[in-house]
mmCIF file of all heavy atoms in Angstrom:
data_model
loop_
_atom_site.group_PDB
_atom_site.id
_atom_site.type_symbol
_atom_site.label_atom_id
_atom_site.label_comp_id
_atom_site.label_asym_id
_atom_site.label_seq_id
_atom_site.Cartn_x
_atom_site.Cartn_y
_atom_site.Cartn_z
ATOM 1 N N VAL O 57 45.830 88.136 128.810
ATOM 2 C CA VAL O 57 45.381 89.003 129.906
ATOM 3 C C VAL O 57 44.138 89.793 129.491
ATOM 4 O O VAL O 57 43.188 89.925 130.268
ATOM 5 C CB VAL O 57 46.514 89.933 130.364
ATOM 6 C CG1 VAL O 57 46.017 90.944 131.374
ATOM 7 C CG2 VAL O 57 47.656 89.116 130.970
ATOM 8 N N SER O 58 44.109 90.286 128.265
ATOM 9 C CA SER O 58 42.952 91.050 127.793
ATOM 10 C C SER O 58 41.696 90.186 127.771
ATOM 11 O O SER O 58 40.604 90.659 128.125
ATOM 12 C CB SER O 58 43.225 91.619 126.403
ATOM 13 O OG SER O 58 44.255 92.570 126.462
ATOM 14 N N ALA O 59 41.847 88.924 127.380
ATOM 15 C CA ALA O 59 40.703 88.004 127.372
ATOM 16 C C ALA O 59 40.173 87.798 128.797
ATOM 17 O O ALA O 59 38.964 87.786 129.024
ATOM 18 C CB ALA O 59 41.092 86.672 126.747
ATOM 19 N N LEU O 60 41.086 87.676 129.750
ATOM 20 C CA LEU O 60 40.663 87.528 131.144
ATOM 21 C C LEU O 60 40.006 88.802 131.660
ATOM 22 O O LEU O 60 39.006 88.741 132.382
ATOM 23 C CB LEU O 60 41.864 87.159 132.024
ATOM 24 C CG LEU O 60 42.426 85.750 131.824
ATOM 25 C CD1 LEU O 60 43.735 85.581 132.584
ATOM 26 C CD2 LEU O 60 41.409 84.700 132.244
ATOM 27 N N PHE O 61 40.570 89.955 131.283
ATOM 28 C CA PHE O 61 39.956 91.228 131.674
ATOM 29 C C PHE O 61 38.513 91.277 131.191
ATOM 30 O O PHE O 61 37.605 91.602 131.958
ATOM 31 C CB PHE O 61 40.727 92.409 131.078
ATOM 32 C CG PHE O 61 41.935 92.866 131.851
ATOM 33 C CD1 PHE O 61 42.727 93.879 131.353
ATOM 34 C CD2 PHE O 61 42.290 92.319 133.064
ATOM 35 C CE1 PHE O 61 43.834 94.337 132.046
ATOM 36 C CE2 PHE O 61 43.398 92.759 133.773
ATOM 37 C CZ PHE O 61 44.170 93.784 133.253
ATOM 38 N N GLU O 62 38.307 90.984 129.906
ATOM 39 C CA GLU O 62 36.952 91.047 129.328
ATOM 40 C C GLU O 62 36.004 90.053 130.003
ATOM 41 O O GLU O 62 34.860 90.382 130.295
ATOM 42 C CB GLU O 62 37.004 90.776 127.829
ATOM 43 C CG GLU O 62 37.375 91.982 127.009
ATOM 44 C CD GLU O 62 37.130 91.752 125.529
ATOM 45 O OE1 GLU O 62 37.718 90.797 124.977
ATOM 46 O OE2 GLU O 62 36.366 92.531 124.949
ATOM 47 N N LYS O 63 36.503 88.853 130.233
ATOM 48 C CA LYS O 63 35.687 87.812 130.865
ATOM 49 C C LYS O 63 35.205 88.247 132.244
ATOM 50 O O LYS O 63 34.115 87.894 132.679
ATOM 51 C CB LYS O 63 36.502 86.516 130.975
ATOM 52 C CG LYS O 63 35.760 85.330 131.506
ATOM 53 C CD LYS O 63 36.675 84.112 131.507
ATOM 54 C CE LYS O 63 35.952 82.900 132.075
ATOM 55 N NZ LYS O 63 36.819 81.728 132.107
ATOM 56 N N MET O 64 36.024 89.064 132.935
ATOM 57 C CA MET O 64 35.685 89.518 134.287
ATOM 58 C C MET O 64 34.972 90.867 134.289
ATOM 59 O O MET O 64 34.735 91.447 135.344
ATOM 60 C CB MET O 64 36.949 89.587 135.134
ATOM 61 C CG MET O 64 37.599 88.237 135.339
ATOM 62 S SD MET O 64 39.137 88.353 136.258
ATOM 63 C CE MET O 64 38.518 88.753 137.893
ATOM 64 N N GLY O 65 34.664 91.406 133.101
ATOM 65 C CA GLY O 65 33.947 92.670 133.008
ATOM 66 C C GLY O 65 34.849 93.882 132.920
ATOM 67 O O GLY O 65 34.370 95.014 133.012
ATOM 68 N N GLY O 66 36.131 93.659 132.751
ATOM 69 C CA GLY O 66 37.073 94.763 132.608
ATOM 70 C C GLY O 66 37.220 95.165 131.156
ATOM 71 O O GLY O 66 36.485 94.709 130.281
ATOM 72 N N LYS O 67 38.183 96.027 130.894
ATOM 73 C CA LYS O 67 38.414 96.511 129.534
ATOM 74 C C LYS O 67 39.708 95.928 128.980
ATOM 75 O O LYS O 67 40.755 96.057 129.605
ATOM 76 C CB LYS O 67 38.518 98.034 129.518
ATOM 77 C CG LYS O 67 37.290 98.746 130.004
ATOM 78 C CD LYS O 67 37.523 100.245 130.041
ATOM 79 C CE LYS O 67 36.334 100.941 130.650
ATOM 80 N NZ LYS O 67 36.615 102.341 130.917
ATOM 81 N N LYS O 68 39.619 95.336 127.787
ATOM 82 C CA LYS O 68 40.832 94.792 127.196
ATOM 83 C C LYS O 68 41.816 95.911 126.835
ATOM 84 O O LYS O 68 43.006 95.680 126.752
ATOM 85 C CB LYS O 68 40.519 93.924 125.971
ATOM 86 C CG LYS O 68 39.947 94.678 124.785
ATOM 87 C CD LYS O 68 39.682 93.737 123.635
ATOM 88 C CE LYS O 68 39.190 94.515 122.431
ATOM 89 N NZ LYS O 68 38.952 93.650 121.298
ATOM 90 N N GLU O 69 41.300 97.136 126.678
ATOM 91 C CA GLU O 69 42.162 98.278 126.358
ATOM 92 C C GLU O 69 43.073 98.661 127.522
ATOM 93 O O GLU O 69 43.990 99.472 127.376
ATOM 94 C CB GLU O 69 41.325 99.506 125.960
ATOM 95 C CG GLU O 69 40.494 99.323 124.703
ATOM 96 C CD GLU O 69 39.182 98.579 124.959
ATOM 97 O OE1 GLU O 69 38.701 98.544 126.108
ATOM 98 O OE2 GLU O 69 38.645 98.015 124.002
ATOM 99 N N SER O 70 42.826 98.076 128.707
ATOM 100 C CA SER O 70 43.670 98.365 129.865
ATOM 101 C C SER O 70 45.091 97.843 129.668
ATOM 102 O O SER O 70 46.000 98.265 130.358
ATOM 103 C CB SER O 70 43.080 97.737 131.132
ATOM 104 O OG SER O 70 41.856 98.353 131.454
ATOM 105 N N TYR O 71 45.265 96.911 128.737
ATOM 106 C CA TYR O 71 46.582 96.324 128.458
ATOM 107 C C TYR O 71 47.105 96.931 127.156
ATOM 108 O O TYR O 71 46.594 96.666 126.084
ATOM 109 C CB TYR O 71 46.468 94.806 128.312
ATOM 110 C CG TYR O 71 47.777 94.064 128.399
ATOM 111 C CD1 TYR O 71 47.969 93.094 129.373
ATOM 112 C CD2 TYR O 71 48.814 94.287 127.500
ATOM 113 C CE1 TYR O 71 49.165 92.393 129.446
ATOM 114 C CE2 TYR O 71 50.001 93.590 127.567
ATOM 115 C CZ TYR O 71 50.171 92.645 128.550
ATOM 116 O OH TYR O 71 51.354 91.941 128.624
ATOM 117 N N GLU O 72 48.144 97.758 127.277
ATOM 118 C CA GLU O 72 48.724 98.429 126.114
ATOM 119 C C GLU O 72 50.128 97.887 125.851
ATOM 120 O O GLU O 72 50.952 97.825 126.753
ATOM 121 C CB GLU O 72 48.790 99.937 126.375
ATOM 122 C CG GLU O 72 49.418 100.722 125.252
ATOM 123 C CD GLU O 72 49.556 102.206 125.575
ATOM 124 O OE1 GLU O 72 49.354 102.614 126.742
ATOM 125 O OE2 GLU O 72 49.878 102.956 124.648
ATOM 126 N N VAL O 73 50.359 97.506 124.589
ATOM 127 C CA VAL O 73 51.699 97.079 124.170
ATOM 128 C C VAL O 73 52.296 98.184 123.311
ATOM 129 O O VAL O 73 51.657 98.668 122.376
ATOM 130 C CB VAL O 73 51.664 95.755 123.371
ATOM 131 C CG1 VAL O 73 53.041 95.413 122.824
ATOM 132 C CG2 VAL O 73 51.143 94.624 124.226
ATOM 133 N N LYS O 74 53.516 98.600 123.663
ATOM 134 C CA LYS O 74 54.244 99.583 122.847
ATOM 135 C C LYS O 74 55.489 98.902 122.316
ATOM 136 O O LYS O 74 56.295 98.370 123.097
ATOM 137 C CB LYS O 74 54.622 100.806 123.683
ATOM 138 C CG LYS O 74 53.454 101.715 123.945
ATOM 139 C CD LYS O 74 53.944 103.095 124.348
ATOM 140 C CE LYS O 74 52.788 104.063 124.264
ATOM 141 N NZ LYS O 74 53.108 105.261 123.581
ATOM 142 N N LEU O 75 55.634 98.940 121.000
ATOM 143 C CA LEU O 75 56.792 98.316 120.355
ATOM 144 C C LEU O 75 57.752 99.395 119.877
ATOM 145 O O LEU O 75 57.326 100.469 119.433
ATOM 146 C CB LEU O 75 56.333 97.460 119.178
ATOM 147 C CG LEU O 75 55.332 96.343 119.531
ATOM 148 C CD1 LEU O 75 54.899 95.606 118.268
ATOM 149 C CD2 LEU O 75 55.928 95.383 120.541
ATOM 150 N N TYR O 76 59.042 99.094 119.958
ATOM 151 C CA TYR O 76 60.079 100.066 119.624
ATOM 152 C C TYR O 76 60.978 99.511 118.518
ATOM 153 O O TYR O 76 61.667 98.511 118.711
ATOM 154 C CB TYR O 76 60.898 100.411 120.881
ATOM 155 C CG TYR O 76 60.013 100.946 121.977
ATOM 156 C CD1 TYR O 76 59.419 100.097 122.900
ATOM 157 C CD2 TYR O 76 59.712 102.302 122.051
ATOM 158 C CE1 TYR O 76 58.575 100.581 123.885
ATOM 159 C CE2 TYR O 76 58.860 102.801 123.023
ATOM 160 C CZ TYR O 76 58.297 101.936 123.924
ATOM 161 O OH TYR O 76 57.442 102.420 124.895
ATOM 162 N N SER O 77 60.946 100.199 117.392
ATOM 163 C CA SER O 77 61.749 99.805 116.232
ATOM 164 C C SER O 77 63.235 99.913 116.557
ATOM 165 O O SER O 77 63.671 100.874 117.201
ATOM 166 C CB SER O 77 61.443 100.686 115.022
ATOM 167 O OG SER O 77 60.105 100.518 114.638
ATOM 168 N N GLY O 78 63.998 98.920 116.119
ATOM 169 C CA GLY O 78 65.446 98.942 116.279
ATOM 170 C C GLY O 78 65.926 98.600 117.673
ATOM 171 O O GLY O 78 67.122 98.596 117.934
ATOM 172 N N LEU O 79 65.012 98.312 118.588
ATOM 173 C CA LEU O 79 65.405 98.024 119.973
ATOM 174 C C LEU O 79 65.480 96.529 120.203
ATOM 175 O O LEU O 79 64.544 95.797 119.888
ATOM 176 C CB LEU O 79 64.396 98.659 120.944
ATOM 177 C CG LEU O 79 64.737 98.575 122.429
ATOM 178 C CD1 LEU O 79 66.026 99.354 122.740
ATOM 179 C CD2 LEU O 79 63.592 99.100 123.273
ATOM 180 N N ASP O 80 66.613 96.087 120.772
ATOM 181 C CA ASP O 80 66.751 94.675 121.124
ATOM 182 C C ASP O 80 66.308 94.490 122.579
ATOM 183 O O ASP O 80 65.479 95.232 123.067
ATOM 184 C CB ASP O 80 68.184 94.187 120.871
ATOM 185 C CG ASP O 80 69.221 95.006 121.644
ATOM 186 O OD1 ASP O 80 68.833 95.809 122.511
ATOM 187 O OD2 ASP O 80 70.415 94.825 121.364
#
Side-chain angles (χ1 to χ4, degrees):
V57 173
S58 294
L60 290 171
F61 276 177
E62 278 192 302
K63 184 178 179 181
M64 296 177 71
K67 299 176 185 170
K68 67 180 183 179
E69 297 81 21
S70 294
Y71 196 121
E72 178 184 11
V73 174
K74 285 199 166 227
L75 302 177
Y76 302 90
S77 297
L79 186 63
D80 57 11

